[in-house]
Amino acid sequence: MNDDGVHRFQAGDVAGAIASLEAACRVADQQQRTTTLVNLAGVLDASGDRARAADVLTEALAVAGPDALAVVHGSRADVLFQLGRLEEARQDVERGFATARPHEKVVLHHVRAGLLLAEGRLAEAEAEALTSAELAAEHAPHLAGHAYANLAAIAEAAGEPAKAAHYRRLLDPPEDVRPVGSRWHRCVTLNSRGAALVTAGDTAGALAAFEAAYRETLGSDEVEALVCRAGVAGNLAGVTDPLRWTTEAITLGRTVLDRVGDRYGTADVLVDALVARAQHLRHAARADDALTDLAAAEALAGAQPPVLAVRASVLADVGRFGEASDVASAALDLAYASAPHLAAFVHATLADIADGTGDRAGSAEHLGLARDLAQATGDVAMRATAVLSLARLAYLESANDRAVALYAEAEELLRAAGDRRRLLVCLHGRAAVEVVLGRPREALEMLDRVAAEGGATPVERIAVCQVRGSALEASGQYAAADEQYGEAVGLAVRAGLWHVALGGAWWRADALVRWASTVDGAARRELSGRALDWALPGALAAEAVRQRFAHGPVRERWVALAAAPATRSAFTAIAAVGDVELAAAYVDHIAATVSLSPAEEAPAGRGELVLLPLPPATGEEHLPYAASFLAGAGQDPAFPATGFALPPRVRLDPAVPSALDRWIDVAEHRYGFPVRSEQVVSSW
C-alpha cells in the first residue's frame, strides 16, 4: 500500500496517493509507520496542505527510531519553514544534525540556508547552500536541484543576477546542452563554490575550491572530465597565473568541441577564456596576439559585447583610436541592450580614447559614468579603475587637492578588494602629485616602494620612469632624469606603443631644454641639439598620424590637441638652437597642413577668405591646400584609406631641399611610417 501510494503520486493521482498511504499507516509496524508517515507528509506538502503535513511529521517523530530521526526532523523543519514557523524549524534542524548521516545533512543544510536567507544573512545562507550542494553531489544527486534553487534565490537577494543565472542553468540547463553525469557533480559543486567565494572577496578560499575541483578531473581523458576541467581552468585564471590557465581552458575547450561539438555548452567557456586571455595579453602589450584571440572569440560567438569591449580597449592601447572609437560605440550600444554590467568598462575605454586624442573633458565625463555604473552594480574593481583615472586627470589639470582626494578614494577601494598590484598604481599616482607639490624626495621614496614590488605592465613601468624622471629633475639631478625619460621611450618602443613613444619624445625634449637653460657654452649647445633631435622628428610624426584616422571628431581632436604639445616642443627646441632657417621651414610645413573643423561655430566668410594671398599659378607644382589631395593609387600602403593622401613637402624652391627635409627623413626612419609624400610644392 505504501508503494502503491508513492506510484500514484508519481503518476499525478494525489487523492489516490493519500488514500493508499493513509491505509498503509493503519496497518504498518513501527519502522514501516515512520517511513509511510514521512511519505504521506510529502504528498500533503506537495498538494498544499502543509499544516496537516506538519501534524503527520510530528506523529512520525513519536514513533521514529534513532536511525530515522534526522530524516523526520529535516522533513518537518522544511514544512515548518514554509509555514513561517521559523523558530520551530530552526530547532528541528539542530536536533536533526545530532544523528544525521551525510546524505541526510543535505536537507538540513538546505533548510538552514533558507532560514538564514529569511533573516537576510546572505553570506551565511550561501555557505550553507553550497555545503548542501556539495553533499548532494556526492551522496544524494537527486537533491542537488534544491541546493541550486536555493543558491539562485540567495544570489537574487544579493543583487547578483549573473550568479543567479549561473545556478539556474545548473538547475535547468538549456535543452541543447547536456549536463555532465553524476560522477562529476562534486567538481561542478566545488567550481560553483569557488565562484561564490570570488564574489565574496575570498580569493584564497576560491583558489582552494577551484584547485580541489580541478583535482577531481585529473587522471581522466573522458569528454565530461575535459568539459569540467576547462570550466575550472577558466575560473582559476581569475585568481592565479592568468595566461597559464586561460591557455589551458582554450586548449581543453577546443579539444571538446573537436570531439563532440558544443553538446556541453563548452563554446561559452572557450569564448570567455579567449576574451580573458586577450585582456591579459593586452596588459602585456601583446596587442596582435590579443586581437587574434578576439577574432577567434567572435568567430564562435559573433559580435558579442565582451568581445567588442575588449577589442576596443586593445585598439585604444596601441593608438588605433579611430577604429577603437567605432568598436567601442558599437560595444556600448550592445552593452546597454543586453549586458549592462559591461557598460562601465566600455565607458572607461571611451575615456581612454578621448584622453589619448586630447579630449580630457570628454574623458572625465566617461569616467564619471563608469564610476557611477560600477557603484550601482557593485563592481568594486571597475569603480577603482575609474577613480584612479579621474585622479590622474585631476593631476594633469593641476587640481592637486582633488587628485589627492581621488587617490585616497581609490586606495580605500583597492584595499577593500585586496588588489595589491593596483595599490602600487595608486602609490605611483600619489608620487606624481608629490613632485608637483614640491616634495620630490617623498615621491622618490614612493617610487622605490613601487619598483620593489615588480610585476608592473609595460604602460605602468613607462609611467613610473616618467614620474621618477620628474622627481629627479625637480631635485636638480638632470642627467639621471634624462636617463629615466629615455628608459620610458625605450619601453614604449619595445612594447609597440608608438603613440606613447611620441609623447615620451616631446616630454624628454622639453626636459633637455630646461636642463640646457642651467648651463652655458658648449654644454648648452649640445643639450639643445639633443632636445631638437627628440622634439622635431616626434612632432613631424605626431602631425602625420592624422592619416591613421577616418574623417571626424577623433581625427580633429588628435590634430588640435594631442599633436599640439609635440609641435610646441619642436618650436621650443628650434628656438633653443637658434636655427632661424629651420624655424621658417617648419612654419611653412605647419601652414601647409589643412585640418577640418566641421563643428566650428563661426566659419570664415567668403570676404575674409579672398583676402588671403593666392598661390602662384605658373605650374602644376604649385598646389593650394596641399593636404587636401584625395587618396588614390599613390597612397602609402602603411596607412588605411581614410580619404586623404599624404601631403607633399613644402619648399621655397622645389628643386632645393629645405632645412626641414633632413628632419622629415629622420622622422620617417625613426618611427617607421611616412610623414610626407615624395611630391614637392612651393611654399606660399
Side-chain angles (χ1 to χ4, degrees):
M1 284 186 286
N2 176 77
D3 292 347
D4 178 63
V6 172
H7 293 149
R8 284 177 181 273
F9 178 67
Q10 291 171 340
D13 180 7
V14 176
I18 292 173
S20 292
L21 289 167
E22 286 176 336
C25 288
R26 288 193 289 271
V27 299
D29 61 25
Q30 180 177 348
Q31 184 176 356
Q32 294 171 331
R33 184 173 173 78
T34 302
T35 301
T36 305
L37 285 168
V38 170
N39 287 340
L40 175 59
V43 175
L44 291 168
D45 182 25
S47 69
D49 193 354
R50 291 199 176 100
R52 188 181 169 202
D55 292 339
V56 169
L57 288 166
T58 300
E59 184 181 347
L61 276 176
V63 297
D67 290 346
L69 279 174
V71 171
V72 181
H73 276 302
S75 299
R76 192 172 73 162
D78 194 19
V79 173
L80 291 171
F81 172 67
Q82 300 299 330
L83 287 169
R85 294 159 61 179
L86 304 187
E87 185 55 39
E88 295 173 79
R90 191 175 293 107
Q91 291 174 8
D92 265 343
V93 167
E94 300 311 318
R95 289 168 183 157
F97 273 119
T99 59
R101 290 162 290 190
H103 68 280
E104 295 166 340
K105 290 180 181 179
V106 173
V107 173
L108 295 170
H109 283 292
H110 169 74
V111 178
R112 184 187 276 169
L115 289 165
L116 291 166
L117 173 60
E119 295 176 12
R121 295 159 62 181
L122 301 184
E124 295 170 81
E126 185 175 50
E128 288 292 327
L130 285 167
T131 301
S132 178
E134 287 181 13
L135 290 169
E138 190 167 356
H139 303 287
H142 62 288
L143 296 176
H146 297 292
Y148 292 136
N150 229 359
L151 285 163
I154 294 166
E156 288 284 3
E160 298 172 332
K163 190 194 290 188
H166 166 72
Y167 286 124
R168 281 195 294 271
R169 283 195 297 272
L170 293 176
L171 177 65
D172 185 23
E175 292 182 4
D176 58 342
V177 174
R178 178 186 299 179
V180 295
S182 59
R183 177 181 175 186
W184 307 108
H185 283 180
R186 177 165 173 76
C187 174
V188 171
T189 301
L190 288 167
N191 195 30
S192 299
R193 180 168 205 161
L197 291 170
V198 167
T199 304
D202 184 359
T203 303
L207 177 59
F210 290 143
E211 288 176 339
Y214 186 81
R215 287 193 296 271
E216 291 286 324
T217 70
L218 296 178
S220 174
D221 192 40
E222 295 177 26
V223 167
E224 292 191 349
L226 300 183
V227 169
C228 292
R229 198 178 304 155
V232 176
N235 283 336
L236 274 165
V239 293
T240 183
D241 204 347
L243 286 178
R244 171 198 167 185
W245 288 112
T246 51
T247 299
E248 177 158 351
I250 290 165
T251 302
L252 290 166
R254 285 173 169 159
T255 300
V256 171
L257 291 180
D258 288 343
R259 286 170 63 171
V260 297
D262 197 25
R263 185 181 300 174
Y264 296 92
T266 309
D268 287 343
V269 174
L270 178 53
V271 169
D272 288 346
L274 286 164
V275 172
R277 188 169 73 174
Q279 271 279 50
H280 295 293
L281 291 169
R282 168 203 166 201
H283 289 308
R286 293 170 57 185
D288 290 342
D289 293 336
L291 292 171
T292 297
D293 275 353
L294 292 168
E298 187 166 350
L300 285 165
Q304 296 295 322
V307 179
L308 293 181
V310 177
R311 176 183 290 150
S313 67
V314 174
L315 293 169
D317 282 352
V318 296
R320 292 163 63 177
F321 295 116
E323 295 171 77
S325 181
D326 292 340
V327 175
S329 297
L332 191 63
D333 290 341
L334 288 172
Y336 276 121
S338 61
H341 61 285
L342 286 174
F345 177 78
V346 182
H347 275 297
T349 300
L350 286 164
D352 288 343
I353 295 167
D355 185 32
T357 53
D359 183 8
R360 289 181 186 165
S363 180
E365 182 178 351
H366 279 296
L367 288 171
L369 288 168
R371 179 177 60 181
D372 293 345
L373 287 166
Q375 185 170 1
T377 58
D379 188 342
V380 176
M382 187 65 249
R383 184 179 164 200
T385 297
V387 174
L388 269 175
S389 295
L390 284 167
R392 174 182 164 276
L393 285 181
Y395 156 73
L396 292 174
E397 296 291 343
S398 299
N400 297 319
D401 290 343
R402 175 170 167 74
V404 169
L406 286 167
Y407 277 124
E409 180 183 346
E411 186 171 343
E412 184 178 348
L413 291 168
L414 293 168
R415 288 194 187 283
D419 191 337
R420 185 174 181 80
R421 188 188 69 80
R422 288 202 301 160
L423 276 170
L424 298 175
V425 177
C426 193
L427 186 61
H428 154 258
R430 286 174 50 207
V433 178
E434 289 295 311
V435 175
V436 175
L437 294 176
R439 297 194 287 262
R441 179 175 297 179
E442 289 84 345
L444 289 169
E445 290 174 357
M446 290 179 177
L447 294 170
D448 286 341
R449 287 161 56 193
V450 173
E453 292 288 338
T457 68
V459 171
E460 291 164 358
R461 286 158 57 205
I462 290 167
V464 168
C465 285
Q466 288 180 323
V467 175
R468 187 182 293 279
S470 295
L472 290 167
E473 188 180 353
S475 302
Q477 301 178 59
Y478 297 107
D482 181 60
E483 184 178 337
Q484 288 296 312
Y485 294 142
E487 176 64 14
V489 174
L491 284 167
V493 171
R494 291 192 293 275
L497 302 172
W498 61 269
H499 58 301
V500 178
L502 286 175
W506 68 258
W507 190 305
R508 188 179 193 186
D510 282 356
L512 285 164
V513 170
R514 290 191 293 269
W515 184 7
S517 70
T518 67
V519 296
D520 295 310
R524 185 169 193 157
R525 287 192 297 274
E526 190 268 336
L527 290 171
S528 298
R530 285 180 58 200
L532 181 65
D533 183 65
W534 280 101
L536 188 51
L540 291 166
E543 183 268 327
V545 165
R546 72 180 62 215
Q547 297 301 118
R548 296 193 174 192
F549 296 91
H551 306 312
V554 177
R555 173 187 171 114
E556 296 311 312
R557 287 206 306 269
W558 175 273
V559 172
L561 299 172
T567 301
R568 183 175 61 249
S569 180
F571 276 120
T572 300
I574 292 171
V577 298
D579 191 333
V580 177
E581 183 180 352
L582 179 59
Y586 190 46
V587 168
D588 273 344
H589 174 91
I590 295 296
T593 301
V594 173
S595 178
L596 305 178
S597 186
E600 188 177 9
E601 294 183 3
R606 175 69 179 168
E608 295 174 77
L609 291 175
V610 297
L611 297 177
L612 295 173
L614 294 176
T618 57
E620 292 184 359
E621 74 277 9
H622 299 291
L623 299 172
Y625 302 101
S628 299
F629 290 174
L630 294 176
Q635 186 179 22
D636 190 276
F639 295 96
T642 57
F644 282 166
L646 281 169
R649 300 186 183 211
V650 182
R651 297 173 182 167
L652 280 172
D653 181 345
V656 179
S658 75
L660 188 66
D661 276 275
R662 178 179 74 83
W663 290 103
I664 293 175
D665 295 339
V666 170
E668 292 182 343
H669 175 75
R670 183 174 297 173
Y671 291 102
F673 55 82
V675 168
R676 288 293 166 108
S677 72
E678 293 303 315
Q679 293 177 286
V680 179
V681 296
S682 293
S683 68
W684 289 13

